[in-house]
Amino acid sequence: MWIDAVSEQQRKGEASILVTILGTAGSAPRKTGSKMLVTAEQSFDTIGGGHLEYLIIQKAHEMLASGSREPVLEHFPLGPKLGQCCGGSVSVLLEPLSGCDFHIALFGAGHIGKSLIDVLAPLDCQITWIDNRPELFPEEVPDNVTVCVSEQPEQEVEDLPDDVYSLVVTHNHQLDYSIVEATLKHNKSHWLGVIGSETKARRFQQRLGHRGLFTDEQIQHMSCPVGIEAVGGRKPPEIAIAIAGEILSVRNGSRSMQKRKREGIPWQNLKSLLTTAGAEVETAGAEAEVERA
């Protein structure tokens, strides 16, 4: 069923297109409200099959490929051109359901790493949790967490998605440095946080600068010590909250900025969209009556 597929796609953080029949006129293969879900690889449920469904799936794939986030309203007369002899028409809404674009790479499965999972996993994000000590990972992790056991965690940087939020909290300073160097080298992280002290930060900055491989701007991309200083506290859950606060401040900005931000379709545009759909359905219905007469 399409509704189960929606839940599964959201769990995996993958984009999809929800197709809904908004209105019909005359004879149509499915009734108003019928839905199907289209992903990059397959489709779930049906809005009637045939050439109509083929065209809808094709349009959905185009929207997925372009990363479209705006809904699209399409109207189809069900005549010979579509190879369907129903004689009616349908108005169809294609609604993008965004995949997850918030990816976190967490290096380190110690006490702080575990506390970070507790704090970060409830967010709308996908987490790749990386460590070279398999015994530290719990038997069960949240659905949006992928465990990666790697003998050389720094080599996993190359396979991470673009604009990832990279967080380094391992048990070893040299490993931390190797991960930082690899992250800056690949230059695709949106944010890089490293646990430690001011002294550790200065040493890392000196080593990175001494090698001459990175600019000052690249080196400053590293946030160390990571975490909102005002939060305070030394216990793993307190440190995790401070770090999560910094990540969210980078991603979301302040609440005052959010109040000024407009999202979604303005109500005036939505009203126009629905009015147009209604007019198209009425016109198609009148045309179908004329043909039958």
Side-chain angles (χ1 to χ4, degrees):
M1 293 291 292
W2 66 267
I3 194 166
D4 297 321
V6 168
S7 298
E8 178 64 13
Q9 291 300 113
Q10 290 179 337
R11 185 191 69 79
K12 295 190 296 185
E14 297 180 2
S16 58
I17 303 292
L18 181 62
V19 178
T20 306
I21 296 181
L22 286 186
T24 65
S27 180
R30 293 295 300 274
K31 64 182 181 180
T32 299
S34 297
K35 297 178 184 289
M36 68 181 295
L37 187 77
V38 181
T39 71
E41 302 295 334
Q42 56 187 319
S43 60
F44 302 87
D45 234 317
T46 179
I47 58 167
H51 195 50
L52 168 66
E53 186 164 297
Y54 170 80
L55 290 177
I56 291 294
I57 292 174
Q58 189 176 50
K59 176 65 178 178
H61 285 164
E62 292 173 0
M63 293 172 66
L64 288 170
S66 66
S68 174
R69 296 192 176 187
E70 295 296 328
V72 173
L73 181 63
E74 297 280 356
H75 180 69
F76 297 91
L78 302 178
K81 288 184 179 180
L82 282 183
Q84 298 196 215
C85 55
C86 299
S89 66
V90 297
S91 293
V92 182
L93 180 67
L94 293 92
E95 183 181 5
L97 303 181
S98 298
C100 179
D101 61 353
F102 184 14
H103 297 269
I104 299 173
L106 174 58
F107 293 87
H111 295 302
I112 294 176
K114 290 183 173 68
S115 292
L116 279 162
I117 291 295
D118 291 338
V119 175
L120 296 173
L123 303 177
D124 185 13
C125 66
Q126 293 290 317
I127 303 174
T128 303
W129 194 9
I130 307 163
D131 204 302
N132 55 8
R133 301 165 293 173
E135 69 277 5
L136 293 187
F137 290 106
E139 292 185 6
E140 296 184 2
V141 297
D143 289 340
N144 59 334
V145 176
T146 300
V147 168
C148 176
V149 179
S150 175
E151 289 296 326
Q152 295 180 294
E154 67 275 15
Q155 292 187 357
E156 303 303 320
V157 169
E158 186 175 358
D159 295 327
L160 294 174
D162 291 344
D163 291 326
V164 66
Y165 288 69
S166 297
L167 180 53
V168 185
V169 294
T170 82
H171 61 296
N172 184 287
H173 283 342
Q174 179 54 45
L175 179 56
D176 285 354
Y177 179 82
S178 297
I179 296 169
V180 167
E181 188 175 58
T183 300
L184 295 181
K185 177 182 177 182
H186 288 285
N187 195 32
K188 61 180 182 179
S189 68
H190 185 84
W191 173 89
L192 170 62
V194 183
I195 197 166
S197 62
E198 294 287 353
T199 300
K200 178 178 179 179
R202 286 193 297 271
R203 288 176 178 171
F204 277 24
Q205 290 166 356
Q206 289 170 358
R207 290 180 65 183
L208 293 167
H210 179 71
R211 297 197 61 183
L213 298 176
F214 306 104
T215 65
D216 290 341
E217 183 179 1
Q218 286 176 302
I219 294 173
Q220 291 304 316
H221 183 63
M222 176 184 68
S223 175
C224 181
V226 66
I228 297 177
E229 185 178 356
V231 173
R234 295 179 178 274
K235 296 179 180 179
E238 295 170 330
I239 295 172
I241 290 171
I243 294 174
E246 180 172 338
I247 293 175
L248 291 177
S249 69
V250 172
R251 177 167 175 80
N252 299 335
S254 65
R255 290 187 178 181
S256 60
M257 289 294 292
Q258 291 177 1
K259 289 178 181 178
R260 296 196 293 269
K261 182 179 179 182
R262 169 176 282 182
E263 295 183 347
I265 307 174
W267 71 268
Q268 299 96 330
N269 294 0
L270 183 59
K271 181 180 179 181
S272 175
L273 183 71
L274 294 175
T275 300
T276 301
E280 288 182 344
V281 170
E282 289 180 5
T283 300
E287 292 174 350
E289 290 292 335
V290 171
E291 289 179 2
R292 284 195 292 270

